[in-house]
Amino acid sequence: MHYIYILSTTTLQYYIPLKYKATNNIITLLIVAFLCVSCRSVEPPAPYGACPTASQIAWQRMEMNMFCHFGPNTFTDKEWGDGTESEELFDPTDLDCNQWAETAKMAGMKGIIVTAKHHDGFCLWPNPHSTHTVLRSPWKDGKGDLLVLLRQACDNNGLKMGIYISPWDRNAPTYGTEAYNETFRLTLQDALSRYGEIFEQWFDGANGEGPAGKKQTYDWPLFNSTVKSLQPNAVIFSDVGPGCRWVGNENGEAGESCWSTLNIDNFTPGAGAPPTDTLNQGNRNGNLWVPAETDVSIRPGWFYHPNEHPKSLKELLRIYYTSVGRNSLLLLNVPPDRRGRIPEEDSLRLAEFRDALDTIFANNLASDAKIEATNIRGNNEEYGTDALVDNNFNSYWATDDDILTPTLTITFDKAATFNRIVLQEYIPLGQRIERFHIEYKTPSGKWETLTTATTIGYKRILLFTTTTTDAIRIIIDQSLACPTINALGIYLDEYDAFGQDPIED
Ligand code: FUL
């Protein structure tokens, strides 16, 4: 459209004699001004409710990250050390953070979060506010700093780096007294100011007894403000955020309904958190944007144990569908072994996992289909259905403000066979859709329900029986505000990890 107008102004100039050049220029300016007014975009939909920050959007778009539980427990075969373990135990024979990062990258993960300090208090960096650190270990004669190595490895592989620093500390002598909150603040300050950009600060809510047999009253406002002041872009994880929230279980399952909004007033991480099913599903119209993060381990334990093995490909695919596919980020724990390397069997499983995801999502059947909408915002192609398949995060199909229940009809050139549908809401404008269903056209031309669902959010993957049809309809049944959808994918998953049945909730 712009092209045609530009052409016509040039043509106009061509026909106006040179002696009228000044007038000609004025006319051109007037035409351009007129065009600017007449082509003005239709106003975008207003954001709805609590919306994500730029850091939360960038975080959500990472989709999958790797968690690495590593520390004294790796060498003692424990899950929770009691803080009395000798520093002498920490002695990886062949530690290679580059191998962790290469593995994560190969698996398609965008970042790594390491347990810089787990509940036993041992610090993987020479924290001057603790005596229980790598400095006293035989590893690299006490001169090693795992956070330096991980930083380099992440940078080398284009990954972001995050840190888990447990407030619960079973080694710190002051734990259980007010003084510990200050020690913990200094610990955070040290870790967050020396190793470059940290994309996520992971706070575990666990709060048991310290060496003096006392529990700590955590100063969460102090901890959060320390992170914010040193790493303003870091997303803070805890049971209740404020950056992202625990999904309420460690099985890899976000709620079938999963809102990124949550009410956190009067709640704290740990025992003071909302019930786990609330964390799992979020709160419709919750007053803060606190999206779900699904942390789950590739092995039964969080730390490496010689007798444990990684989950099957089928289980990993299931986890992908019930986390990333349900509006949650997947934080998959892959524990390094006593060498300080990710075991071969885990790397191989991750390679299979990546290969399966690439195969499943290689061919989007929506790309070549005809996509019609019952409403397009302002009738303007800027908000048209092309945006659903243009792989551009920032373009989206939207309806007029008062159209809350539109329908998309997708017609294939020839009958298509598929069993997965991916939908993504344009989350910078909030999470808006609360119920929808999908119909397919039977050979007799009747529309039958294929599947029904509730929320979409950043990404929703619907699983259903393999179906062959000429057309489907996506019918939005209920929305909090006019829908804004930036991606539609239709795929055939031949791995069929679930047989012909969708996941049971
Ligand atoms: C839990 C911890 O107690 C586990 O040891 C592990 O770190 C897991 C990710 O979070 O709350």
Side-chain angles (χ1 to χ4, degrees):
M1 191 173 185
H2 290 286
Y3 183 64
I4 295 170
Y5 282 121
I6 288 161
L7 253 190
S8 55
T9 53
T10 322
T11 321
L12 195 70
Q13 283 180 348
Y14 179 76
Y15 284 115
I16 296 175
L18 266 184
K19 61 176 175 169
Y20 297 120
K21 190 76 194 290
T23 325
N24 179 9
N25 286 344
I26 292 168
I27 292 173
T28 307
L29 278 175
L30 284 175
I31 291 172
V32 169
F34 168 77
L35 289 177
C36 289
V37 174
S38 65
C39 292
R40 235 189 73 187
S41 316
V42 171
E43 284 293 311
Y48 178 83
C51 290
T53 61
S55 307
Q56 286 174 314
I57 296 168
W59 172 90
Q60 189 92 55
R61 294 183 69 189
M62 295 172 83
E63 296 199 358
M64 281 206 298
N65 291 323
M66 192 160 94
F67 214 1
C68 286
H69 275 66
F70 188 61
N73 297 338
T74 310
F75 301 88
T76 57
D77 215 0
K78 287 188 191 163
E79 276 293 304
W80 280 5
D82 62 13
T84 61
E85 296 79 14
S86 162
E87 294 87 24
E88 294 285 322
L89 285 167
F90 185 80
D91 195 13
T93 50
D94 190 17
L95 188 127
D96 185 355
C97 288
N98 220 45
Q99 187 250 3
W100 306 7
E102 280 167 3
T103 306
K105 186 180 175 188
M106 172 274 294
M109 295 171 179
K110 305 290 187 247
I112 299 182
I113 300 178
V114 69
T115 51
K117 174 167 94 84
H118 201 251
H119 310 328
D120 56 31
F122 185 82
C123 299
L124 298 181
W125 83 103
N127 174 13
H129 310 290
S130 166
T131 53
H132 196 42
T133 78
V134 282
L135 199 79
R136 293 197 173 182
S137 79
W139 177 56
K140 290 185 179 282
D141 294 327
K143 296 192 187 68
D145 183 337
L146 195 138
L147 296 187
V148 165
L149 299 177
L150 187 61
R151 169 86 272 156
Q152 287 164 355
C154 285
D155 288 351
N156 290 345
N157 289 279
L159 299 177
K160 295 185 182 179
M161 172 169 152
I163 45 182
Y164 172 126
I165 302 187
S166 169
W168 185 20
D169 192 319
R170 306 178 86 182
N171 177 271
T174 57
Y175 192 87
T177 71
E178 187 50 37
Y180 175 78
N181 284 332
E182 178 58 9
T183 306
F184 190 66
R185 183 189 71 79
L186 291 168
T187 292
L188 279 177
Q189 180 174 294
D190 194 61
L192 294 169
S193 49
R194 287 213 269 148
Y195 303 100
E197 176 107 19
I198 297 298
F199 83 95
E200 181 170 340
Q201 169 63 49
W202 221 89
F203 281 138
D204 199 284
N207 181 350
E209 291 177 353
K214 286 195 240 156
K215 286 192 181 180
Q216 179 74 29
T217 305
Y218 296 137
D219 188 344
W220 288 109
L222 175 70
F223 303 165
N224 288 340
S225 64
T226 304
V227 178
K228 277 288 148 218
S229 66
L230 296 164
Q231 296 282 346
N233 298 325
V235 166
I236 301 177
F237 168 96
S238 84
D239 293 333
V240 292
C244 62
R245 70 174 194 265
W246 184 44
V247 77
N249 63 63
E250 292 178 343
N251 317 323
E253 276 182 52
E256 202 275 332
S257 292
C258 188
W259 293 96
S260 290
T261 44
L262 190 73
N263 297 321
I264 63 169
D265 289 352
N266 306 319
F267 289 113
T268 61
T276 49
D277 62 338
T278 303
L279 296 178
N280 196 239
Q281 298 172 24
N283 295 121
R284 171 183 180 271
N285 276 330
N287 58 7
L288 260 189
W289 187 271
V290 192
E293 178 179 82
T294 302
D295 60 315
V296 56
S297 187
I298 195 168
R299 287 170 171 242
W302 291 102
F303 284 88
Y304 170 80
H305 303 285
N307 295 328
E308 292 185 351
H309 299 282
K311 293 184 162 70
S312 65
L313 171 62
K314 182 173 163 168
E315 281 172 290
L316 290 184
L317 284 174
R318 177 190 169 89
I319 286 171
Y320 179 84
Y321 283 126
T322 56
S323 57
V324 177
R326 290 185 182 174
N327 188 31
S328 170
L329 183 139
L330 171 58
L331 180 59
L332 183 64
N333 181 65
V334 187
D337 61 17
R338 291 176 184 168
R339 294 170 304 168
R341 298 175 71 93
I342 289 168
E344 285 70 9
E345 56 177 328
D346 301 62
S347 318
L348 286 170
R349 186 54 37 77
L350 287 172
E352 286 170 10
F353 180 45
R354 182 69 258 159
D355 194 46
L357 291 176
D358 287 345
T359 307
I360 295 166
F361 298 107
N363 182 23
N364 183 0
L365 298 167
S367 301
D368 300 324
K370 183 162 100 193
I371 309 178
E372 294 162 299
T374 49
N375 180 275
I376 289 173
R377 189 173 186 78
N379 238 333
N380 187 301
E381 65 186 51
E382 194 181 344
Y383 300 102
T385 58
D386 286 356
L388 293 165
V389 286
D390 67 357
N391 293 319
N392 176 355
F393 180 78
N394 287 309
S395 68
Y396 52 91
W397 163 63
T399 61
D400 291 323
D401 283 345
D402 56 342
I403 305 294
L404 304 187
T405 55
T407 295
L408 286 171
T409 303
I410 296 104
T411 312
F412 305 103
D413 266 358
K414 52 179 193 307
T417 301
F418 51 89
N419 52 15
R420 307 283 181 257
I421 289 182
V422 182
L423 284 162
Q424 295 193 249
E425 276 185 89
Y426 185 61
I427 56 164
L429 297 178
Q431 192 175 346
R432 308 155 82 99
I433 294 170
E434 46 183 338
R435 197 162 52 81
F436 66 107
H437 73 281
I438 304 210
E439 294 178 347
Y440 71 103
K441 206 176 199 173
T442 63
S444 66
K446 264 182 61 192
W447 291 99
E448 301 252 343
T449 299
L450 190 54
T451 185
T452 59
T454 53
T455 53
I456 295 179
Y458 167 73
K459 186 176 263 193
R460 182 66 198 271
I461 309 179
L462 299 164
L463 297 95
F464 45 86
T465 308
T466 302
T467 303
T468 300
T469 181
D470 290 336
I472 60 165
R473 295 204 291 217
I474 300 172
I475 300 164
I476 298 173
D477 298 304
Q478 210 176 324
S479 304
L480 292 165
C482 69
T484 62
I485 299 186
N486 62 354
L488 164 67
I490 304 176
Y491 302 97
L492 177 63
D493 172 356
E494 293 187 281
Y495 287 77
D496 202 16
F498 305 97
Q500 286 290 298
D501 297 317
I503 299 172
E504 293 294 325
D505 291 312

